[in-house]
Amino acid sequence: MRLQVEAAPILFPDCSIREGLRRIGWSAYSILLDSHIGRVIFGVLGGNLRRIFALTSRGYGVSLTRGKAEVLRSGANFVSLRLTQIHNFVDSYQVDVMEGVLRHNQRSGQVFVRRHAPLDVELFVHWDSVLREAS
């Protein structure tokens, strides 16, 4: 967490630390996919967001030593996730980890947060059913 806070103003000097944390979060999924374990877990799923989000708990399990992620509900173009005991910025960095999954898979969408406790949130991720055009 300290590294994220120290890196944010260096990587994004024109942004607030919170915005910098969000932007760092955008790259988390791509970085995970570049790792061997990330390719094993998510590599065969292509852009199938429903299947990707179904494996969220495994992704968090290999990425963090504390905390837990679980899928509460899912549908064709949404998922509701519960993050518990997540210490690294559940309402900024973690939201944008989810946005990063959407961006990586060329989808637009939104992430909504419902805070249950300081380290416990529900994230509702909704995405468009069609791919974005490359810019």
Side-chain angles (χ1 to χ4, degrees):
M1 287 174 52
R2 282 188 222 127
L3 179 60
Q4 288 175 321
V5 170
E6 290 177 19
I10 294 168
L11 295 171
F12 306 102
D14 296 332
C15 298
S16 67
I17 290 176
R18 182 178 173 84
E19 180 64 22
L21 290 170
R22 293 186 70 219
R23 292 180 183 202
I24 291 170
W26 288 341
S27 63
Y29 181 71
S30 296
I31 290 169
L32 179 61
L33 278 181
D34 285 342
S35 72
H36 178 70
I37 192 72
R39 285 190 300 276
V40 168
I41 295 171
F42 296 103
V44 298
L45 302 178
N48 186 326
L49 290 174
R50 190 169 187 187
R51 291 177 61 201
I52 290 168
F53 283 116
L55 293 174
T56 299
S57 61
R58 290 188 66 200
Y60 274 78
V62 300
S63 300
L64 299 174
T65 56
R66 293 186 177 148
K68 180 174 119 175
E70 65 179 310
V71 175
L72 300 176
R73 294 175 299 285
S74 67
N77 63 340
F78 77 90
V79 67
S80 177
L81 305 163
R82 181 84 179 242
L83 304 182
T84 55
Q85 292 301 303
I86 301 293
H87 292 259
N88 61 336
F89 315 109
V90 290
D91 61 351
S92 57
Y93 175 79
Q94 296 300 329
V95 168
D96 290 285
V97 168
M98 301 306 152
E99 285 186 358
V101 173
L102 299 179
R103 293 164 71 107
H104 180 87
N105 291 286
Q106 300 176 332
R107 300 291 177 87
S108 57
Q110 293 181 298
V111 181
F112 300 96
V113 179
R114 180 177 180 198
R115 185 179 289 278
H116 297 283
L119 305 177
D120 183 0
V121 297
E122 185 175 339
L123 300 179
F124 181 79
V125 186
H126 178 272
W127 59 88
D128 293 336
S129 57
V130 294
L131 294 173
R132 282 190 318 224
E133 290 190 29
S135 21

